[in-house]
Amino acid sequence: MRFVLTLLLLLAAPLAAFANVTLYPAGDGNVAASVLVVYSSLDEPLARPMIRGFQAANPDVAVRYEEMLTGEVHDRIVRETDAGEKTADFAFSSAMDLQVKLSNDGYAQRSDLPMSERWPQWANWRNTAYALTFEPAVFVYHKPSFKGRKPPASRAEFVEYLKSEGEKVFGRIGTYDIERSGVGFLFMARDQEQFGDIWTVIQAMGAAGVKLYSTSSAILERVADGRFVLGYNILGSYAADWASRDPNVGIILPKDYTVVMSRIGLVPQAAASPELGRRYLAFFMSKEGQEILSRELQIAAVSPEVSGSNTARTMNALLGAQLKPVPVSPGLMVYLDQVKRARLIARWNEVLRMQ
């Protein structure tokens, strides 16, 4: 059994006013059980299998799951810590830059865990911030629109397709609005680093009347029903989940290079119960936890112990150097530089308007 806390309770806790709070009672029925507090940007329905798996292994622990925006995860932890208060026991967010900033600025504590030494080097920053997922940026396409022809499989092919189809595809291309979507900005910043001709791609999308959205679901919904023929740089985990339910959605991992982002987990320095936070992080990194992630959440697992198609291990074996994971390191904080951010967004808007 689980239940969403009422508005009255939220009003009694103003710092949590913007969080969707869900309480999972302890499996052993003890109403006085220890409570693990999680701040997370992952939608609560997607998080349920992981929480249930953790509680099956830890029936003496209740879980308070607070779903919020990525910026709020960071700001809550900083605000509560600086006020001398206790904060979440575990923080999980897709804002890689903000999670690494927490670690770099002393708001996360070291967690030496059974899998720490075996975790991929790129996915572990000093045993404080761990990449727990492996999520490529993909092209998505409307399969019925590509009967008899192959969809573009690289950025050069993407541009050629847009130019050759012209009016047929005008207004039927979607991607993230990098001003409103943190993951969209991250993917664009990595594109600029990886591909010298990326602005040709952006200009071609602008000429094709590209539509911009802040969420994956808005783009995938339109690809599924044929309003869009293509989506660019869409988060692969959401695309895979959608494609598993809708046969009209196809996925391409671009063959020139495929950027891979991760959701980062850490135990805050001011955690009320850091031992519970580490217990949850250890479960997330365990073979069982990573298999739940891969099988039930449709998000590729990072652990080298996990096999199967939806894993970093298999993707690396098949695609090798094509995959470009974003390393968990202070280098991510470059994306928080407001001057550089404003400059990239300004150029993005300027190039999109070019005809």
Side-chain angles (χ1 to χ4, degrees), residues 211-226:
K211 306 295 186 184
L212 306 179
Y213 297 88
S214 59
T215 66
S216 306
S217 59
I219 299 167
L220 288 161
E221 176 186 337
R222 289 163 174 78
V223 170
D225 64 21

Side-chain angles (χ1 to χ4, degrees), residues 234-251:
I234 308 305
L235 192 58
S237 53
Y238 287 103
D241 178 63
W242 203 286
S244 71
R245 296 179 281 109
D246 194 316
N248 288 331
V249 177
I251 298 173

Side-chain angles (χ1 to χ4, degrees), residues 134-347:
F134 195 79
E135 303 180 59
V138 302
F139 300 166
V140 293
Y141 66 98
H142 180 241
K143 286 183 178 180
S145 296
F146 286 90
K147 282 185 178 177
R149 67 178 299 174
K150 292 182 178 179
S154 69
R155 286 159 184 81
E157 291 179 10
F158 193 94
V159 170
E160 180 56 36
Y161 173 79
L162 296 183
K163 289 181 176 179
S164 66
E165 293 302 300
E167 289 297 321
K168 293 181 183 178
V169 298
F170 187 85
R172 300 180 66 199
I173 312 298
T175 193
Y176 295 118
D177 180 345
I178 70 168
E179 291 189 74
R180 295 188 295 155
S181 167
V183 72
F185 182 87
L186 174 64
F187 286 155
M188 181 58 214
R190 293 294 286 180
D191 270 346
Q192 187 175 229
E193 295 169 3
Q194 295 289 336
F195 190 53
D197 206 23
I198 189 58
W199 295 109
T200 299
V201 180
I202 308 308
Q203 185 175 356
M205 287 198 292
V210 66
K211 306 295 186 184
L212 306 179
Y213 297 88
S214 59
T215 66
S216 306
S217 59
I219 299 167
L220 288 161
E221 176 186 337
R222 289 163 174 78
V223 170
D225 64 21
R227 281 177 286 172
F228 287 177
V229 292
L230 283 169
Y232 178 79
N233 259 6
I234 308 305
L235 192 58
S237 53
Y238 287 103
D241 178 63
W242 203 286
S244 71
R245 296 179 281 109
D246 194 316
N248 288 331
V249 177
I251 298 173
I252 296 288
L253 275 70
K255 64 184 180 183
D256 44 357
Y257 67 91
T258 300
V259 175
V260 181
M261 64 81 67
S262 302
R263 298 170 200 265
I264 293 178
L266 55 83
V267 176
Q269 184 63 44
S273 302
E275 70 286 353
L276 289 182
R278 271 190 280 276
R279 205 191 301 184
Y280 190 66
L281 177 56
F283 180 79
F284 227 125
M285 295 170 69
S286 70
K287 187 172 187 289
E288 181 183 358
Q290 289 278 296
E291 284 177 344
I292 291 173
L293 190 77
S294 173
R295 183 180 63 252
E296 299 190 45
L297 277 67
Q298 296 295 316
I299 300 177
V302 175
S303 174
E305 290 189 340
V306 180
S307 58
S309 59
N310 197 25
T311 64
R313 177 181 175 182
T314 297
M315 288 189 201
N316 280 314
L318 292 173
L319 302 174
Q322 175 181 329
L323 300 174
K324 304 294 182 182
V326 179
V328 181
S329 75
L332 277 162
M333 291 191 295
V334 147
Y335 306 138
L336 297 173
D337 184 301
Q338 293 305 306
V339 173
K340 292 180 179 178
R341 181 183 180 86
R343 189 180 298 135
L344 177 59
I345 289 172
R347 187 172 185 190

Side-chain angles (χ1 to χ4, degrees), residues 17 59-60 69 86 185 277 317:
D60 59 330
L69 299 175
K86 293 301 182 183
F185 182 87

